[in-house]
Amino acid sequence: MVTGWIEKITGSIEQKKRYRQYKARTEKLPAYYRAAIEALDRYLMYFGAITDGDTMVSMLEDLADLFEQSAAHGTPIRAIVGDNPVEFVETFLQNYAEGQWINKERKRLIDAIDRIADNAP
C-alpha cells in the first residue's frame, strides 16, 4: 500500500530499477558504441515525447540489446545507424509510438471533430 502511494508521487520503482540497469549496460559498451548510444538516448529523450514509463524503458532496453549485439559482432556504427542517424532513430522510435503524448492529442482532436461533425447540421 505504501509503495503504491510512493509510486504515484515518484513514479514506478521497477521502471527506475530497469532504467538504472539499462544505464549500467551502456556503461559496459566499448567507447564508440557507448558514445553513439548516449547520443541516440539524448535525442530520444528530447524528440521521443514518450510519456509511458514502461514504453520508454522497453525502448531503451531494446536499443541496448541492439548495441550490445552489434558490439559483440564488431558491427561498425554506420552499419547500425546508417548515413542518417536522425532517420534511423526516428524509424526506431516509430516502434514505440503508443507511448508518445502526441497520440493522446491526436485522439482528442479526432474525438472533438467527431462530436462536432455529428452534431452539426
Side-chain angles (χ1 to χ4, degrees), residues 8-55:
K8 285 185 182 194
I9 294 172
T10 64
S12 168
I13 293 170
E14 181 61 30
Q15 290 169 6
K16 287 181 168 94
K17 180 180 175 184
R18 289 172 57 203
Y19 181 76
R20 283 191 300 273
Q21 290 170 340
Y22 155 76
K23 292 304 275 184
R25 289 171 64 190
T26 62
E27 287 297 318
K28 294 177 185 173
L29 289 169
Y32 292 110
Y33 293 93
R34 184 174 56 250
I37 200 169
E38 287 171 355
L40 293 167
D41 182 321
R42 179 177 169 83
Y43 187 85
L44 287 167
M45 292 297 179
Y46 283 101
F47 178 78
I50 293 179
T51 58
D52 178 67
D54 280 332
T55 301

mmCIF file of all heavy atoms in Angstrom, residues 8-55:
data_model
loop_
_atom_site.group_PDB
_atom_site.id
_atom_site.type_symbol
_atom_site.label_atom_id
_atom_site.label_comp_id
_atom_site.label_asym_id
_atom_site.label_seq_id
_atom_site.Cartn_x
_atom_site.Cartn_y
_atom_site.Cartn_z
ATOM 1 N N LYS A 8 2.970 6.771 -6.952
ATOM 2 C CA LYS A 8 2.127 7.813 -7.551
ATOM 3 C C LYS A 8 2.848 9.152 -7.555
ATOM 4 O O LYS A 8 2.649 9.965 -8.444
ATOM 5 C CB LYS A 8 0.800 7.931 -6.810
ATOM 6 C CG LYS A 8 -0.146 6.811 -7.131
ATOM 7 C CD LYS A 8 -1.487 6.998 -6.490
ATOM 8 C CE LYS A 8 -2.345 5.788 -6.837
ATOM 9 N NZ LYS A 8 -3.726 5.990 -6.563
ATOM 10 N N ILE A 9 3.693 9.371 -6.571
ATOM 11 C CA ILE A 9 4.421 10.631 -6.468
ATOM 12 C C ILE A 9 5.727 10.581 -7.257
ATOM 13 O O ILE A 9 6.046 11.499 -8.003
ATOM 14 C CB ILE A 9 4.704 10.966 -4.987
ATOM 15 C CG1 ILE A 9 3.384 11.229 -4.273
ATOM 16 C CG2 ILE A 9 5.639 12.165 -4.867
ATOM 17 C CD1 ILE A 9 3.501 11.378 -2.792
ATOM 18 N N THR A 10 6.473 9.504 -7.107
ATOM 19 C CA THR A 10 7.823 9.442 -7.679
ATOM 20 C C THR A 10 7.919 8.665 -8.985
ATOM 21 O O THR A 10 8.922 8.745 -9.667
ATOM 22 C CB THR A 10 8.803 8.797 -6.680
ATOM 23 O OG1 THR A 10 8.415 7.438 -6.457
ATOM 24 C CG2 THR A 10 8.842 9.559 -5.379
ATOM 25 N N GLY A 11 6.908 7.893 -9.313
ATOM 26 C CA GLY A 11 6.976 7.029 -10.481
ATOM 27 C C GLY A 11 7.314 5.611 -10.075
ATOM 28 O O GLY A 11 7.649 5.340 -8.928
ATOM 29 N N SER A 12 7.227 4.714 -11.011
ATOM 30 C CA SER A 12 7.427 3.295 -10.756
ATOM 31 C C SER A 12 8.847 2.980 -10.299
ATOM 32 O O SER A 12 9.823 3.331 -10.969
ATOM 33 C CB SER A 12 7.107 2.492 -12.017
ATOM 34 O OG SER A 12 7.549 1.167 -11.889
ATOM 35 N N ILE A 13 8.935 2.311 -9.184
ATOM 36 C CA ILE A 13 10.245 1.877 -8.674
ATOM 37 C C ILE A 13 10.849 0.844 -9.620
ATOM 38 O O ILE A 13 12.053 0.863 -9.888
ATOM 39 C CB ILE A 13 10.099 1.326 -7.238
ATOM 40 C CG1 ILE A 13 9.704 2.475 -6.297
ATOM 41 C CG2 ILE A 13 11.379 0.658 -6.774
ATOM 42 C CD1 ILE A 13 9.292 2.050 -4.921
ATOM 43 N N GLU A 14 10.028 -0.029 -10.163
ATOM 44 C CA GLU A 14 10.506 -1.053 -11.101
ATOM 45 C C GLU A 14 11.067 -0.397 -12.364
ATOM 46 O O GLU A 14 12.105 -0.818 -12.874
ATOM 47 C CB GLU A 14 9.378 -2.026 -11.455
ATOM 48 C CG GLU A 14 9.789 -3.131 -12.405
ATOM 49 C CD GLU A 14 10.894 -4.037 -11.881
ATOM 50 O OE1 GLU A 14 10.987 -4.218 -10.650
ATOM 51 O OE2 GLU A 14 11.670 -4.560 -12.692
ATOM 52 N N GLN A 15 10.409 0.641 -12.870
ATOM 53 C CA GLN A 15 10.910 1.336 -14.052
ATOM 54 C C GLN A 15 12.252 1.997 -13.768
ATOM 55 O O GLN A 15 13.159 1.959 -14.605
ATOM 56 C CB GLN A 15 9.905 2.389 -14.521
ATOM 57 C CG GLN A 15 8.657 1.807 -15.119
ATOM 58 C CD GLN A 15 7.587 2.850 -15.337
ATOM 59 O OE1 GLN A 15 7.797 4.033 -15.140
ATOM 60 N NE2 GLN A 15 6.402 2.395 -15.733
ATOM 61 N N LYS A 16 12.385 2.581 -12.604
ATOM 62 C CA LYS A 16 13.655 3.205 -12.230
ATOM 63 C C LYS A 16 14.765 2.156 -12.138
ATOM 64 O O LYS A 16 15.892 2.392 -12.567
ATOM 65 C CB LYS A 16 13.506 3.946 -10.907
ATOM 66 C CG LYS A 16 12.719 5.221 -11.043
ATOM 67 C CD LYS A 16 12.614 5.926 -9.714
ATOM 68 C CE LYS A 16 12.098 7.301 -9.895
ATOM 69 N NZ LYS A 16 10.762 7.574 -9.773
ATOM 70 N N LYS A 17 14.430 1.006 -11.595
ATOM 71 C CA LYS A 17 15.401 -0.083 -11.494
ATOM 72 C C LYS A 17 15.836 -0.538 -12.889
ATOM 73 O O LYS A 17 17.029 -0.706 -13.155
ATOM 74 C CB LYS A 17 14.784 -1.245 -10.719
ATOM 75 C CG LYS A 17 15.687 -2.433 -10.548
ATOM 76 C CD LYS A 17 14.989 -3.530 -9.770
ATOM 77 C CE LYS A 17 15.832 -4.780 -9.696
ATOM 78 N NZ LYS A 17 15.127 -5.874 -9.032
ATOM 79 N N ARG A 18 14.876 -0.712 -13.777
ATOM 80 C CA ARG A 18 15.184 -1.126 -15.145
ATOM 81 C C ARG A 18 16.018 -0.062 -15.863
ATOM 82 O O ARG A 18 16.940 -0.380 -16.621
ATOM 83 C CB ARG A 18 13.899 -1.415 -15.917
ATOM 84 C CG ARG A 18 13.210 -2.688 -15.457
ATOM 85 C CD ARG A 18 11.850 -2.881 -16.082
ATOM 86 N NE ARG A 18 11.898 -2.880 -17.543
ATOM 87 C CZ ARG A 18 10.837 -2.597 -18.309
ATOM 88 N NH1 ARG A 18 9.673 -2.305 -17.767
ATOM 89 N NH2 ARG A 18 10.946 -2.624 -19.612
ATOM 90 N N TYR A 19 15.717 1.210 -15.623
ATOM 91 C CA TYR A 19 16.477 2.283 -16.250
ATOM 92 C C TYR A 19 17.929 2.275 -15.752
ATOM 93 O O TYR A 19 18.860 2.428 -16.543
ATOM 94 C CB TYR A 19 15.829 3.649 -15.986
ATOM 95 C CG TYR A 19 16.574 4.778 -16.639
ATOM 96 C CD1 TYR A 19 16.459 4.995 -18.014
ATOM 97 C CD2 TYR A 19 17.407 5.613 -15.913
ATOM 98 C CE1 TYR A 19 17.159 6.019 -18.629
ATOM 99 C CE2 TYR A 19 18.106 6.634 -16.520
ATOM 100 C CZ TYR A 19 17.970 6.835 -17.875
ATOM 101 O OH TYR A 19 18.673 7.846 -18.492
ATOM 102 N N ARG A 20 18.119 2.084 -14.457
ATOM 103 C CA ARG A 20 19.486 2.002 -13.914
ATOM 104 C C ARG A 20 20.232 0.808 -14.511
ATOM 105 O O ARG A 20 21.431 0.902 -14.805
ATOM 106 C CB ARG A 20 19.448 1.922 -12.387
ATOM 107 C CG ARG A 20 19.175 3.253 -11.716
ATOM 108 C CD ARG A 20 19.402 3.210 -10.213
ATOM 109 N NE ARG A 20 18.562 2.254 -9.522
ATOM 110 C CZ ARG A 20 17.339 2.487 -9.066
ATOM 111 N NH1 ARG A 20 16.799 3.671 -9.226
ATOM 112 N NH2 ARG A 20 16.648 1.550 -8.449
ATOM 113 N N GLN A 21 19.528 -0.303 -14.724
ATOM 114 C CA GLN A 21 20.158 -1.470 -15.350
ATOM 115 C C GLN A 21 20.550 -1.155 -16.792
ATOM 116 O O GLN A 21 21.627 -1.550 -17.258
ATOM 117 C CB GLN A 21 19.216 -2.676 -15.292
ATOM 118 C CG GLN A 21 19.033 -3.229 -13.902
ATOM 119 C CD GLN A 21 17.926 -4.273 -13.817
ATOM 120 O OE1 GLN A 21 17.044 -4.354 -14.672
ATOM 121 N NE2 GLN A 21 17.953 -5.069 -12.753
ATOM 122 N N TYR A 22 19.678 -0.443 -17.498
ATOM 123 C CA TYR A 22 19.984 -0.024 -18.871
ATOM 124 C C TYR A 22 21.251 0.830 -18.883
ATOM 125 O O TYR A 22 22.152 0.618 -19.697
ATOM 126 C CB TYR A 22 18.800 0.749 -19.464
ATOM 127 C CG TYR A 22 19.173 1.700 -20.559
ATOM 128 C CD1 TYR A 22 19.485 1.257 -21.838
ATOM 129 C CD2 TYR A 22 19.241 3.079 -20.315
ATOM 130 C CE1 TYR A 22 19.845 2.138 -22.848
ATOM 131 C CE2 TYR A 22 19.597 3.964 -21.313
ATOM 132 C CZ TYR A 22 19.898 3.496 -22.569
ATOM 133 O OH TYR A 22 20.259 4.365 -23.569
ATOM 134 N N LYS A 23 21.324 1.813 -17.972
ATOM 135 C CA LYS A 23 22.499 2.682 -17.921
ATOM 136 C C LYS A 23 23.761 1.882 -17.600
ATOM 137 O O LYS A 23 24.821 2.132 -18.188
ATOM 138 C CB LYS A 23 22.304 3.807 -16.891
ATOM 139 C CG LYS A 23 21.246 4.821 -17.277
ATOM 140 C CD LYS A 23 21.478 5.460 -18.611
ATOM 141 C CE LYS A 23 22.398 6.637 -18.536
ATOM 142 N NZ LYS A 23 22.574 7.334 -19.819
ATOM 143 N N ALA A 24 23.652 0.911 -16.708
ATOM 144 C CA ALA A 24 24.799 0.058 -16.373
ATOM 145 C C ALA A 24 25.238 -0.747 -17.593
ATOM 146 O O ALA A 24 26.444 -0.921 -17.827
ATOM 147 C CB ALA A 24 24.451 -0.864 -15.218
ATOM 148 N N ARG A 25 24.284 -1.231 -18.368
ATOM 149 C CA ARG A 25 24.612 -1.982 -19.581
ATOM 150 C C ARG A 25 25.352 -1.100 -20.579
ATOM 151 O O ARG A 25 26.328 -1.528 -21.200
ATOM 152 C CB ARG A 25 23.335 -2.536 -20.225
ATOM 153 C CG ARG A 25 22.705 -3.652 -19.445
ATOM 154 C CD ARG A 25 21.343 -4.014 -19.992
ATOM 155 N NE ARG A 25 21.419 -4.549 -21.357
ATOM 156 C CZ ARG A 25 20.354 -4.756 -22.115
ATOM 157 N NH1 ARG A 25 19.138 -4.488 -21.664
ATOM 158 N NH2 ARG A 25 20.498 -5.253 -23.329
ATOM 159 N N THR A 26 24.890 0.131 -20.756
ATOM 160 C CA THR A 26 25.530 1.007 -21.737
ATOM 161 C C THR A 26 26.932 1.409 -21.293
ATOM 162 O O THR A 26 27.799 1.620 -22.142
ATOM 163 C CB THR A 26 24.685 2.269 -22.024
ATOM 164 O OG1 THR A 26 24.532 3.041 -20.834
ATOM 165 C CG2 THR A 26 23.320 1.899 -22.582
ATOM 166 N N GLU A 27 27.159 1.487 -19.992
ATOM 167 C CA GLU A 27 28.494 1.817 -19.479
ATOM 168 C C GLU A 27 29.511 0.726 -19.816
ATOM 169 O O GLU A 27 30.711 0.998 -19.883
ATOM 170 C CB GLU A 27 28.455 2.037 -17.972
ATOM 171 C CG GLU A 27 27.800 3.336 -17.554
ATOM 172 C CD GLU A 27 28.537 4.565 -18.057
ATOM 173 O OE1 GLU A 27 29.784 4.580 -18.004
ATOM 174 O OE2 GLU A 27 27.864 5.503 -18.519
ATOM 175 N N LYS A 28 29.049 -0.487 -20.021
ATOM 176 C CA LYS A 28 29.939 -1.602 -20.326
ATOM 177 C C LYS A 28 30.291 -1.693 -21.813
ATOM 178 O O LYS A 28 31.163 -2.467 -22.198
ATOM 179 C CB LYS A 28 29.304 -2.923 -19.878
ATOM 180 C CG LYS A 28 29.151 -3.030 -18.380
ATOM 181 C CD LYS A 28 28.452 -4.313 -18.002
ATOM 182 C CE LYS A 28 28.186 -4.383 -16.515
ATOM 183 N NZ LYS A 28 27.374 -5.542 -16.152
ATOM 184 N N LEU A 29 29.611 -0.922 -22.640
ATOM 185 C CA LEU A 29 29.884 -0.959 -24.071
ATOM 186 C C LEU A 29 31.247 -0.345 -24.380
ATOM 187 O O LEU A 29 31.706 0.550 -23.663
ATOM 188 C CB LEU A 29 28.805 -0.177 -24.834
ATOM 189 C CG LEU A 29 27.424 -0.809 -24.902
ATOM 190 C CD1 LEU A 29 26.406 0.192 -25.444
ATOM 191 C CD2 LEU A 29 27.443 -2.059 -25.763
ATOM 192 N N PRO A 30 31.876 -0.797 -25.470
ATOM 193 C CA PRO A 30 33.106 -0.134 -25.907
ATOM 194 C C PRO A 30 32.836 1.357 -26.163
ATOM 195 O O PRO A 30 31.705 1.751 -26.471
ATOM 196 C CB PRO A 30 33.461 -0.860 -27.206
ATOM 197 C CG PRO A 30 32.803 -2.195 -27.076
ATOM 198 C CD PRO A 30 31.534 -1.947 -26.309
ATOM 199 N N ALA A 31 33.850 2.173 -26.037
ATOM 200 C CA ALA A 31 33.711 3.635 -26.055
ATOM 201 C C ALA A 31 32.884 4.175 -27.219
ATOM 202 O O ALA A 31 32.003 5.012 -27.014
ATOM 203 C CB ALA A 31 35.092 4.281 -26.048
ATOM 204 N N TYR A 32 33.156 3.730 -28.446
ATOM 205 C CA TYR A 32 32.437 4.276 -29.595
ATOM 206 C C TYR A 32 30.958 3.890 -29.575
ATOM 207 O O TYR A 32 30.096 4.708 -29.892
ATOM 208 C CB TYR A 32 33.082 3.827 -30.915
ATOM 209 C CG TYR A 32 34.443 4.428 -31.118
ATOM 210 C CD1 TYR A 32 35.587 3.656 -31.057
ATOM 211 C CD2 TYR A 32 34.579 5.790 -31.351
ATOM 212 C CE1 TYR A 32 36.840 4.212 -31.234
ATOM 213 C CE2 TYR A 32 35.826 6.362 -31.532
ATOM 214 C CZ TYR A 32 36.951 5.578 -31.471
ATOM 215 O OH TYR A 32 38.183 6.145 -31.640
ATOM 216 N N TYR A 33 30.662 2.683 -29.194
ATOM 217 C CA TYR A 33 29.268 2.248 -29.101
ATOM 218 C C TYR A 33 28.557 3.002 -27.974
ATOM 219 O O TYR A 33 27.411 3.408 -28.107
ATOM 220 C CB TYR A 33 29.187 0.742 -28.856
ATOM 221 C CG TYR A 33 29.673 -0.069 -30.021
ATOM 222 C CD1 TYR A 33 30.997 -0.491 -30.087
ATOM 223 C CD2 TYR A 33 28.825 -0.420 -31.060
ATOM 224 C CE1 TYR A 33 31.463 -1.237 -31.161
ATOM 225 C CE2 TYR A 33 29.269 -1.168 -32.138
ATOM 226 C CZ TYR A 33 30.595 -1.568 -32.184
ATOM 227 O OH TYR A 33 31.040 -2.296 -33.260
ATOM 228 N N ARG A 34 29.262 3.178 -26.871
ATOM 229 C CA ARG A 34 28.696 3.894 -25.728
ATOM 230 C C ARG A 34 28.390 5.347 -26.117
ATOM 231 O O ARG A 34 27.323 5.867 -25.820
ATOM 232 C CB ARG A 34 29.636 3.848 -24.533
ATOM 233 C CG ARG A 34 29.056 4.482 -23.287
ATOM 234 C CD ARG A 34 29.919 4.306 -22.048
ATOM 235 N NE ARG A 34 31.286 4.796 -22.219
ATOM 236 C CZ ARG A 34 32.374 4.029 -22.300
ATOM 237 N NH1 ARG A 34 32.295 2.722 -22.207
ATOM 238 N NH2 ARG A 34 33.564 4.563 -22.452
ATOM 239 N N ALA A 35 29.306 5.988 -26.802
ATOM 240 C CA ALA A 35 29.099 7.376 -27.228
ATOM 241 C C ALA A 35 27.912 7.474 -28.191
ATOM 242 O O ALA A 35 27.096 8.405 -28.098
ATOM 243 C CB ALA A 35 30.360 7.928 -27.873
ATOM 244 N N ALA A 36 27.797 6.504 -29.089
ATOM 245 C CA ALA A 36 26.694 6.516 -30.055
ATOM 246 C C ALA A 36 25.351 6.307 -29.357
ATOM 247 O O ALA A 36 24.380 7.018 -29.628
ATOM 248 C CB ALA A 36 26.913 5.446 -31.120
ATOM 249 N N ILE A 37 25.285 5.352 -28.446
ATOM 250 C CA ILE A 37 24.016 5.090 -27.768
ATOM 251 C C ILE A 37 23.640 6.264 -26.862
ATOM 252 O O ILE A 37 22.459 6.596 -26.715
ATOM 253 C CB ILE A 37 24.013 3.746 -27.013
ATOM 254 C CG1 ILE A 37 22.563 3.283 -26.748
ATOM 255 C CG2 ILE A 37 24.774 3.827 -25.717
ATOM 256 C CD1 ILE A 37 22.444 1.866 -26.241
ATOM 257 N N GLU A 38 24.629 6.930 -26.278
ATOM 258 C CA GLU A 38 24.334 8.108 -25.465
ATOM 259 C C GLU A 38 23.753 9.230 -26.319
ATOM 260 O O GLU A 38 22.836 9.933 -25.895
ATOM 261 C CB GLU A 38 25.588 8.577 -24.721
ATOM 262 C CG GLU A 38 25.967 7.658 -23.580
ATOM 263 C CD GLU A 38 27.323 7.967 -22.966
ATOM 264 O OE1 GLU A 38 28.053 8.857 -23.477
ATOM 265 O OE2 GLU A 38 27.665 7.307 -21.964
ATOM 266 N N ALA A 39 24.283 9.405 -27.528
ATOM 267 C CA ALA A 39 23.755 10.427 -28.432
ATOM 268 C C ALA A 39 22.315 10.085 -28.845
ATOM 269 O O ALA A 39 21.442 10.958 -28.875
ATOM 270 C CB ALA A 39 24.651 10.551 -29.663
ATOM 271 N N LEU A 40 22.071 8.819 -29.156
ATOM 272 C CA LEU A 40 20.723 8.391 -29.517
ATOM 273 C C LEU A 40 19.767 8.540 -28.334
ATOM 274 O O LEU A 40 18.626 8.995 -28.494
ATOM 275 C CB LEU A 40 20.734 6.943 -30.005
ATOM 276 C CG LEU A 40 21.467 6.704 -31.319
ATOM 277 C CD1 LEU A 40 21.687 5.208 -31.539
ATOM 278 C CD2 LEU A 40 20.728 7.324 -32.479
ATOM 279 N N ASP A 41 20.237 8.164 -27.157
ATOM 280 C CA ASP A 41 19.439 8.277 -25.934
ATOM 281 C C ASP A 41 19.012 9.732 -25.723
ATOM 282 O O ASP A 41 17.845 10.026 -25.456
ATOM 283 C CB ASP A 41 20.270 7.763 -24.754
ATOM 284 C CG ASP A 41 19.549 7.773 -23.425
ATOM 285 O OD1 ASP A 41 18.796 8.719 -23.140
ATOM 286 O OD2 ASP A 41 19.758 6.834 -22.638
ATOM 287 N N ARG A 42 19.960 10.631 -25.847
ATOM 288 C CA ARG A 42 19.656 12.061 -25.660
ATOM 289 C C ARG A 42 18.594 12.516 -26.650
ATOM 290 O O ARG A 42 17.643 13.205 -26.288
ATOM 291 C CB ARG A 42 20.925 12.891 -25.809
ATOM 292 C CG ARG A 42 20.695 14.386 -25.661
ATOM 293 C CD ARG A 42 22.016 15.155 -25.758
ATOM 294 N NE ARG A 42 21.794 16.570 -25.881
ATOM 295 C CZ ARG A 42 21.572 17.384 -24.858
ATOM 296 N NH1 ARG A 42 21.542 16.914 -23.642
ATOM 297 N NH2 ARG A 42 21.390 18.678 -25.047
ATOM 298 N N TYR A 43 18.736 12.149 -27.900
ATOM 299 C CA TYR A 43 17.766 12.543 -28.928
ATOM 300 C C TYR A 43 16.389 11.968 -28.606
ATOM 301 O O TYR A 43 15.378 12.662 -28.704
ATOM 302 C CB TYR A 43 18.243 12.070 -30.309
ATOM 303 C CG TYR A 43 17.381 12.589 -31.429
ATOM 304 C CD1 TYR A 43 17.616 13.841 -31.973
ATOM 305 C CD2 TYR A 43 16.338 11.827 -31.945
ATOM 306 C CE1 TYR A 43 16.830 14.333 -33.000
ATOM 307 C CE2 TYR A 43 15.547 12.310 -32.977
ATOM 308 C CZ TYR A 43 15.796 13.564 -33.496
ATOM 309 O OH TYR A 43 15.010 14.043 -34.515
ATOM 310 N N LEU A 44 16.364 10.701 -28.213
ATOM 311 C CA LEU A 44 15.085 10.066 -27.878
ATOM 312 C C LEU A 44 14.404 10.750 -26.699
ATOM 313 O O LEU A 44 13.175 10.884 -26.674
ATOM 314 C CB LEU A 44 15.287 8.583 -27.575
ATOM 315 C CG LEU A 44 15.581 7.702 -28.776
ATOM 316 C CD1 LEU A 44 16.083 6.334 -28.324
ATOM 317 C CD2 LEU A 44 14.351 7.567 -29.662
ATOM 318 N N MET A 45 15.176 11.179 -25.727
ATOM 319 C CA MET A 45 14.602 11.847 -24.560
ATOM 320 C C MET A 45 13.964 13.182 -24.947
ATOM 321 O O MET A 45 12.926 13.557 -24.415
ATOM 322 C CB MET A 45 15.653 12.076 -23.476
ATOM 323 C CG MET A 45 16.143 10.811 -22.839
ATOM 324 S SD MET A 45 14.825 9.933 -21.986
ATOM 325 C CE MET A 45 15.701 8.529 -21.394
ATOM 326 N N TYR A 46 14.590 13.892 -25.875
ATOM 327 C CA TYR A 46 14.047 15.177 -26.300
ATOM 328 C C TYR A 46 12.962 15.032 -27.359
ATOM 329 O O TYR A 46 11.917 15.658 -27.274
ATOM 330 C CB TYR A 46 15.155 16.090 -26.835
ATOM 331 C CG TYR A 46 15.975 16.694 -25.743
ATOM 332 C CD1 TYR A 46 17.220 16.178 -25.424
ATOM 333 C CD2 TYR A 46 15.503 17.769 -25.004
ATOM 334 C CE1 TYR A 46 17.975 16.722 -24.401
ATOM 335 C CE2 TYR A 46 16.246 18.322 -23.979
ATOM 336 C CZ TYR A 46 17.480 17.794 -23.687
ATOM 337 O OH TYR A 46 18.234 18.321 -22.669
ATOM 338 N N PHE A 47 13.212 14.231 -28.360
ATOM 339 C CA PHE A 47 12.299 14.123 -29.502
ATOM 340 C C PHE A 47 11.195 13.105 -29.285
ATOM 341 O O PHE A 47 10.088 13.275 -29.764
ATOM 342 C CB PHE A 47 13.090 13.748 -30.770
ATOM 343 C CG PHE A 47 12.217 13.579 -31.974
ATOM 344 C CD1 PHE A 47 11.746 14.677 -32.655
ATOM 345 C CD2 PHE A 47 11.851 12.315 -32.413
ATOM 346 C CE1 PHE A 47 10.923 14.526 -33.761
ATOM 347 C CE2 PHE A 47 11.032 12.152 -33.518
ATOM 348 C CZ PHE A 47 10.567 13.267 -34.198
ATOM 349 N N GLY A 48 11.488 12.049 -28.555
ATOM 350 C CA GLY A 48 10.565 10.933 -28.431
ATOM 351 C C GLY A 48 9.232 11.261 -27.804
ATOM 352 O O GLY A 48 8.210 10.722 -28.185
ATOM 353 N N ALA A 49 9.223 12.153 -26.830
ATOM 354 C CA ALA A 49 7.993 12.574 -26.157
ATOM 355 C C ALA A 49 7.169 11.385 -25.665
ATOM 356 O O ALA A 49 5.953 11.388 -25.759
ATOM 357 C CB ALA A 49 7.173 13.470 -27.074
ATOM 358 N N ILE A 50 7.848 10.392 -25.153
ATOM 359 C CA ILE A 50 7.151 9.217 -24.627
ATOM 360 C C ILE A 50 6.798 9.488 -23.175
ATOM 361 O O ILE A 50 7.664 9.813 -22.368
ATOM 362 C CB ILE A 50 8.006 7.947 -24.773
ATOM 363 C CG1 ILE A 50 8.169 7.630 -26.253
ATOM 364 C CG2 ILE A 50 7.384 6.781 -24.023
ATOM 365 C CD1 ILE A 50 8.998 6.419 -26.556
ATOM 366 N N THR A 51 5.525 9.372 -22.869
ATOM 367 C CA THR A 51 5.063 9.651 -21.515
ATOM 368 C C THR A 51 4.824 8.387 -20.709
ATOM 369 O O THR A 51 4.674 8.455 -19.496
ATOM 370 C CB THR A 51 3.762 10.471 -21.552
ATOM 371 O OG1 THR A 51 2.773 9.754 -22.292
ATOM 372 C CG2 THR A 51 3.996 11.828 -22.191
ATOM 373 N N ASP A 52 4.795 7.249 -21.358
ATOM 374 C CA ASP A 52 4.582 5.984 -20.660
ATOM 375 C C ASP A 52 5.935 5.400 -20.263
ATOM 376 O O ASP A 52 6.767 5.088 -21.127
ATOM 377 C CB ASP A 52 3.817 5.008 -21.565
ATOM 378 C CG ASP A 52 3.600 3.668 -20.908
ATOM 379 O OD1 ASP A 52 2.843 3.617 -19.925
ATOM 380 O OD2 ASP A 52 4.212 2.685 -21.366
ATOM 381 N N GLY A 53 6.157 5.267 -18.961
ATOM 382 C CA GLY A 53 7.445 4.794 -18.456
ATOM 383 C C GLY A 53 7.825 3.411 -18.931
ATOM 384 O O GLY A 53 8.978 3.157 -19.271
ATOM 385 N N ASP A 54 6.862 2.484 -18.961
ATOM 386 C CA ASP A 54 7.167 1.124 -19.417
ATOM 387 C C ASP A 54 7.606 1.122 -20.876
ATOM 388 O O ASP A 54 8.545 0.411 -21.248
ATOM 389 C CB ASP A 54 5.957 0.200 -19.239
ATOM 390 C CG ASP A 54 5.803 -0.286 -17.804
ATOM 391 O OD1 ASP A 54 6.825 -0.388 -17.089
ATOM 392 O OD2 ASP A 54 4.666 -0.555 -17.399
ATOM 393 N N THR A 55 6.935 1.929 -21.690
ATOM 394 C CA THR A 55 7.304 2.017 -23.106
ATOM 395 C C THR A 55 8.707 2.581 -23.253
ATOM 396 O O THR A 55 9.521 2.061 -24.018
ATOM 397 C CB THR A 55 6.290 2.882 -23.880
ATOM 398 O OG1 THR A 55 4.990 2.296 -23.754
ATOM 399 C CG2 THR A 55 6.656 2.990 -25.345
#
